[in-house]
Amino acid sequence: MLLLLVSVVVADAKVRLPQVFQSGMVLQRGTAIPVWGQADAGETVVVNLNKKSATAVADANGRWRVNLPAMKAGGPYVLSIGGIELTDVWLGDVWLCTGQSNMETTLERVSPQYPDELNDSNAMVRLFHVQYQTDTHGPSADLRPTSWKKLNRENAWRFSSIGYFLGKQLQREKGVAQGIIESAWGGTPIEAWIAADTLEKHFPMYYKQIQLYQNDDYVAAQQRAAGQAEQQWQKILNANDPGLGKYTELSYDDSGWTEVNQYNLSPKREWIGSLWLRQHIHIDAQHAGKKAQLLLGTLYDCDYTYINGQLVGNTGYQYPPRRYQVPEGLLREGDNVITVRFINKNGMPHFIKEKPYKFVFGKGDEQPIGEKWLLCEGAEMPRAIGMGVSLQNQPSTLFNGMIHPLAPFAVAGVVWYQGESNTGMRQAAEYAQMLRLLMANWRQAFERPQMPFVIVQLANYMAFSERPQDTGWSRVREAQRIVATEDPYSELALAIDLGETVDIHPLRKKEVAERIALNFERLVYGKKVQLAPQVLTTEVKDGKVILTLDQPMKSGSLKFFELADEKGLYHNVEATANGNQIIIPSPMPNPAAIRYAWKDNPLGVNVYGKNGLPLTPFQLQLK
């Protein structure tokens, strides 16, 4: 045993592998397979897989690398690397799923949309979740500790729902192992995912910005100050809130509180501090004492929710759905009370419309919650100070921490779902160039000049406007369309009909994954598939604008087309589909431009190809 332990320690000292190389992994079939790591300087490292072998010698810094030859799909194999044996290794297809929160949206978040999809297990799909990591100084040597896991409910529950559905579909269709690498971080801008030397050359102001955060003492001081400010703010809030330990009890007399509708809590535009709401609920004898789930929609911003004085849930920010478990024995026959303590640091506390508000006792056994609540102000507070440093939002930090350590791991393609954080008008104007740079940047890092990208276009979101509007959301969508159109190794996956008015994280992620998979059929598998409709030509003739598309359209009257007059002002116009053409009578003699679905939320888009895919929003000049 002593000799065995010594040999293991010696082997570990000689060869050290990046996190991405572990037992249970999937390696990319059909292409050279880079394998790399660290060892003692001058050490010879032999790598064996499926009767193929390669040898490298570690350089003076201990770095070594080999390229195993391309192999067919198969497994399980043993990958032997300098005496280390990785087992249950498969050859198949590997996908890098990356971006911000809509890529990161978990299976748990979308589970109500797909109740029949939650308990699937497939050992031929492997999930690899890249942990959050930033680096302001340069590319990180490796990822934070993580592992490859088989697809099942437990492992997928907090994994990217898009990655989950994509892996399941492609494994079913292709019959080979699928590896899904999720490397995403909610709320992050595109510049955080681009290398510093690329930004220095093309966007020097962003390069200067990251240099501001290369002083570790400054960053640490900012973080400490922010933490202390937060503690002090919460301390003062709690010391001045009359409701703590009092307003949550069922026996509390709330007869003096103000009755309000949950969608119109107060005429005030802002309430900073705490706000209390109570609603009495009658529970019948049949449901008394039963465990349940309380669905409290989505709230703005932080909430602490109680039932009969017992805390059942707390959520610290606005986006997650409130799905709180009510333990057995808490609900009693007759009167019960739900108490919500809102804590807001900006804006007005409110309930989000179009979300579920109810008790769920079982499938088909539900009790709705009314819109009427009793309201009482808690402690009003000054604005919080000291926001700290969000390093994940700074240029290059996520390329350094969460992309570079993966390169040059062989992947079949990349799914990029990001853009919501770049919808300010200035950032939107930069987005097309930024996206081009990111794709070139990553292709260089992964040593694949033709590495396929599927770009998920931003979904419809926010309030519908009948009148023409020009927003950053439309401009980012247009940037995504232009880049995908001009790059022969990229495609656009549309979500313009899959969004939600009130939720920046729409639930229909399976449909997004299906459209991504269809794009990869062309990009990766070389199949001739009919993708989303595209405009081939525009013509102004006999008082009409005629668009010719690459495929027949579903016939009928079409919505959300606009024509610009000679002054550049856009006007709503009627449009009709006729075969592969869209005919638009022009109310002006010389229309200058045409655009389609150019809104934050073109709710109810109805321009579809015969294959059921929507036409992408666009803006085109007319000659």
Side-chain angles (χ1 to χ4, degrees):
M1 286 184 65
L2 180 60
L3 289 174
L4 178 61
L5 289 172
V6 169
S7 67
V8 171
V9 170
V10 170
D12 286 346
K14 289 181 178 179
V15 176
R16 297 173 294 282
L17 299 177
Q19 285 291 316
V20 73
F21 290 99
Q22 297 190 41
S23 294
M25 70 187 304
V26 179
L27 296 169
Q28 181 59 43
R29 62 170 169 164
T31 188
I33 304 170
V35 182
W36 70 94
Q38 290 283 126
D40 295 339
E43 184 71 24
T44 298
V45 180
V46 180
V47 179
N48 293 289
L49 175 68
N50 188 26
K51 300 180 182 179
K52 303 293 192 299
S53 182
T55 303
V57 177
D59 64 17
N61 295 312
R63 293 188 295 261
W64 59 268
R65 172 181 164 179
V66 301
N67 281 350
L68 290 170
M71 301 178 222
K72 294 181 179 180
Y77 299 118
V78 173
L79 175 60
S80 175
I81 307 173
I84 298 174
E85 290 194 347
L86 306 181
T87 60
D88 192 29
V89 173
W90 292 79
L91 286 161
D93 294 326
V94 183
W95 312 96
L96 175 56
C97 296
T98 183
Q100 57 178 110
S101 54
N102 269 301
M103 178 57 78
E104 200 176 19
T105 300
T106 63
L107 181 63
E108 185 276 333
R109 178 78 71 89
V110 305
S111 58
Q113 185 76 18
Y114 310 102
D116 298 329
E117 301 263 7
L118 305 181
N119 295 314
D120 290 353
S121 295
N122 189 336
M124 293 287 284
V125 180
R126 304 297 169 90
L127 311 176
F128 186 82
H129 180 256
V130 176
Q131 302 292 328
Y132 288 162
Q133 179 171 253
T134 64
D135 199 321
T136 60
H137 295 282
S140 299
D142 199 4
L143 303 170
R144 291 177 57 198
T146 186
S147 62
W148 289 87
K149 296 180 179 180
K150 297 177 182 179
L151 184 148
N152 56 42
R153 175 169 175 151
E154 179 182 0
N155 294 333
W157 200 237
R158 300 292 180 184
F159 193 81
S160 164
S161 54
I162 287 179
Y164 169 84
F165 289 120
L166 180 66
K168 285 204 310 178
Q169 177 175 339
L170 290 177
Q171 201 289 315
R172 182 176 65 249
E173 293 176 352
K174 306 305 175 186
V176 304
Q178 301 291 317
I180 306 294
I181 300 174
E182 177 199 346
S183 183
W185 194 326
T188 54
I190 190 172
E191 60 266 22
W193 298 92
I194 300 175
D197 55 355
T198 299
L199 292 178
E200 182 181 18
K201 182 177 180 180
H202 298 278
F203 285 93
M205 192 59 68
Y206 285 108
Y207 180 72
K208 294 173 185 176
Q209 183 176 331
I210 189 55
Q211 288 181 305
L212 295 174
Y213 296 96
Q214 290 176 343
N215 183 322
D216 294 338
D217 291 338
Y218 164 74
V219 171
Q222 289 288 312
Q223 302 292 50
R224 283 196 304 271
Q228 292 167 355
E230 171 66 16
Q231 292 176 14
Q232 186 70 2
W233 194 89
Q234 292 288 345
K235 180 180 178 181
I236 296 171
L237 172 72
N238 292 339
N240 289 274
D241 192 332
L244 286 178
K246 182 178 178 182
Y247 291 171
T248 65
E249 298 300 322
L250 178 61
S251 59
Y252 174 75
D253 180 8
D254 53 25
S255 59
W257 287 28
T258 303
E259 185 177 275
V260 295
N261 184 283
Q262 68 183 34
Y263 301 124
N264 186 25
L265 295 182
S266 171
K268 297 179 180 179
R269 298 184 62 184
E270 183 173 74
W271 177 266
I272 298 175
S274 61
L275 198 69
W276 293 85
L277 293 170
R278 283 167 62 94
Q279 182 174 156
H280 290 266
I281 301 292
H282 181 84
I283 300 294
D284 61 24
Q286 179 183 352
H287 296 97
K290 286 189 174 181
K291 65 180 180 180
Q293 187 179 50
L294 172 62
L295 301 185
L296 208 58
T298 307
L299 306 177
Y300 183 89
D301 186 35
C302 170
D303 76 286
Y304 291 82
T305 298
Y306 304 79
I307 294 179
N308 297 336
Q310 180 173 325
L311 182 68
V312 295
N314 160 238
T315 304
Y317 65 110
Q318 68 183 93
Y319 293 118
R322 273 58 169 179
R323 301 175 189 149
Y324 296 148
Q325 303 306 314
V326 182
E328 188 175 355
L330 182 56
L331 293 173
R332 63 196 73 187
E333 183 178 358
D335 187 41
N336 296 260
V337 68
I338 304 171
T339 306
V340 180
R341 185 194 188 209
F342 280 98
I343 297 178
N344 272 46
K345 295 183 178 179
N346 58 76
M348 187 68 203
H350 60 273
F351 294 72
I352 306 299
K353 292 183 178 181
E354 302 176 26
K355 294 296 182 180
Y357 296 91
K358 58 189 175 182
F359 283 106
V360 178
F361 295 95
K363 189 173 183 179
D365 187 5
E366 302 175 351
Q367 179 173 335
I369 295 171
E371 295 182 9
K372 299 294 184 182
W373 292 77
L374 297 174
L375 177 147
C376 181
E377 295 178 353
E380 189 171 12
M381 289 287 292
R383 289 188 174 276
I385 59 173
M387 300 304 293
V389 175
S390 298
L391 291 179
Q392 74 274 15
N393 295 329
Q394 305 308 319
S396 305
T397 55
L398 298 185
F399 174 84
N400 290 341
M402 298 176 65
I403 295 299
H404 183 273
L406 288 167
F409 195 78
V411 299
V414 177
V415 184
W416 175 252
Y417 193 166
Q418 190 278 338
E420 298 90 340
S421 289
N422 290 87
T423 52
M425 294 301 269
R426 180 184 65 82
Q427 294 92 335
E430 300 171 342
Y431 196 84
Q433 187 180 0
M434 284 279 193
L435 186 52
R436 293 186 192 102
L437 292 173
L438 179 141
M439 292 163 65
N441 197 182
W442 291 21
R443 285 166 174 161
Q444 181 181 27
F446 284 84
E447 301 176 6
R448 290 194 62 195
Q450 300 175 3
M451 185 165 70
F453 274 78
V454 171
I455 302 160
V456 182
Q457 194 182 50
L458 295 186
N460 54 304
Y461 171 56
M462 293 185 286
F464 169 72
S465 172
E466 184 68 41
R467 301 177 63 182
Q469 59 177 177
D470 186 19
T471 70
W473 280 74
S474 293
R475 294 189 179 198
V476 169
R477 290 192 194 110
E478 179 70 349
Q480 293 169 327
R481 182 191 72 83
I482 289 172
V483 172
T485 300
E486 70 186 14
D487 189 305
Y489 309 109
S490 69
E491 290 288 357
L492 195 66
L494 272 63
I496 195 63
D497 57 340
L498 301 177
E500 298 181 28
T501 300
V502 297
D503 199 336
I504 199 171
H505 306 118
L507 297 183
R508 297 177 63 186
K509 293 298 191 281
K510 181 180 180 182
E511 290 85 341
V512 174
E514 289 170 346
R515 293 176 181 181
I516 292 169
L518 185 64
N519 282 304
F520 279 135
E521 289 287 0
R522 185 192 79 79
L523 284 172
V524 174
Y525 300 109
K527 291 190 175 181
K528 294 183 178 179
V529 293
Q530 190 72 68
L531 301 176
Q534 294 189 40
V535 176
L536 298 179
T537 63
T538 64
E539 181 183 13
V540 181
K541 181 179 180 181
D542 299 330
K544 298 176 182 178
V545 175
I546 302 171
L547 306 180
T548 302
L549 287 83
D550 65 348
Q551 59 187 275
M553 308 299 292
K554 291 185 177 180
S555 61
S557 178
L558 308 178
K559 298 191 292 186
F560 305 134
F561 283 89
E562 302 169 10
L563 289 178
D565 58 27
E566 292 177 330
K567 296 181 180 180
L569 298 177
Y570 278 88
H571 306 269
N572 293 333
V573 292
E574 300 295 326
T576 305
N578 182 15
N580 68 333
Q581 290 188 327
I582 295 174
I583 313 298
I584 304 164
S586 176
M588 57 202 72
N590 297 301
I594 181 171
R595 65 189 188 190
Y596 165 68
W598 197 268
K599 302 175 184 294
D600 290 329
N601 185 8
L603 190 63
V605 291
N606 66 343
V607 187
Y608 285 85
K610 287 292 183 69
N611 61 359
L613 294 177
L615 176 66
T616 177
F618 64 80
Q619 180 172 268
L620 298 171
Q621 297 299 309
L622 296 172
K623 296 180 180 179

